[in-house]
Amino acid sequence: VVAVDRSTDALAMAHDLGAHTVPAGAEASRAIRELTKGKGADVVIDLVGAAETLALGQRVTRSMGHLTLVGIAGGTVPFGFATQSYEVSMTNTYWGSITELMEVIALAEAGRIRAHVEKFTLATANDAYDKMRRGELRGRAVIVPE
């Protein structure tokens, strides 16, 4: 697993969880290629969805790999015969199936995955957005009604 982020705190958390980490930027593609011994990534999951993150994903996904867009930042990339490695599948997703949700819940209940969540009330929901903009949010923001 390779995690890419601008935030040193996010990279530290990913490292603590066992991922290789790569700072976002001009050298990210080269660093990922080095970590994968030149092959590229089998699967890229873009949790941001900006043009630059999608472009990075497109550059580093290996031939016959998969690039999945989850983030909704509104970015796009050109798609054509030579814009990515051969036979790369590109897809987007907003939600998995009920079966997949049950599998994720079972993994969480078994302690095999943990969600890193920062809770906010409805009254402080704007604080969540402010922290995201500043790159200070660790994990995911969850708004909880009071």
Side-chain angles (χ1 to χ4, degrees):
V1 173
V2 178
V4 179
D5 206 292
R6 288 187 273 189
S7 164
T8 55
D9 287 342
L11 291 172
M13 182 172 67
H15 180 266
D16 291 345
L17 293 169
H20 295 279
T21 58
V22 172
E27 294 297 311
S29 181
R30 182 195 55 74
I32 293 167
R33 288 281 176 187
E34 284 181 10
L35 285 168
T36 61
K37 297 179 174 53
K39 287 176 44 179
D42 295 320
V43 175
V44 172
I45 302 171
D46 185 338
L47 298 173
V48 177
E52 69 181 294
T53 60
L54 282 166
L56 174 61
Q58 196 175 40
R59 284 192 306 273
V60 301
T61 304
R62 70 163 176 81
S63 184
M64 298 183 69
H66 305 277
L67 170 57
T68 300
L69 170 62
V70 177
I72 56 174
T76 61
V77 290
F79 179 79
F81 192 77
T83 56
Q84 64 281 319
S85 297
Y86 296 121
E87 299 187 43
V88 166
S89 66
M90 296 172 65
T91 188
N92 61 353
T93 184
Y94 193 70
W95 184 251
S97 68
I98 294 297
T99 301
E100 291 167 331
L101 176 60
M102 291 173 12
E103 290 170 354
V104 168
I105 291 171
L107 287 168
E109 287 174 338
R112 299 201 46 213
I113 59 172
R114 290 188 320 260
H116 294 273
V117 172
E118 192 168 338
K119 294 180 183 178
F120 297 85
T121 65
L122 287 174
T124 62
N126 285 335
D127 296 340
Y129 288 106
D130 291 340
K131 286 187 90 166
M132 282 191 284
R133 281 187 205 98
R134 291 190 308 267
E136 297 173 356
L137 186 66
R138 289 186 53 94
R140 295 287 175 236
V142 174
I143 310 302
V144 180
E146 294 134 25

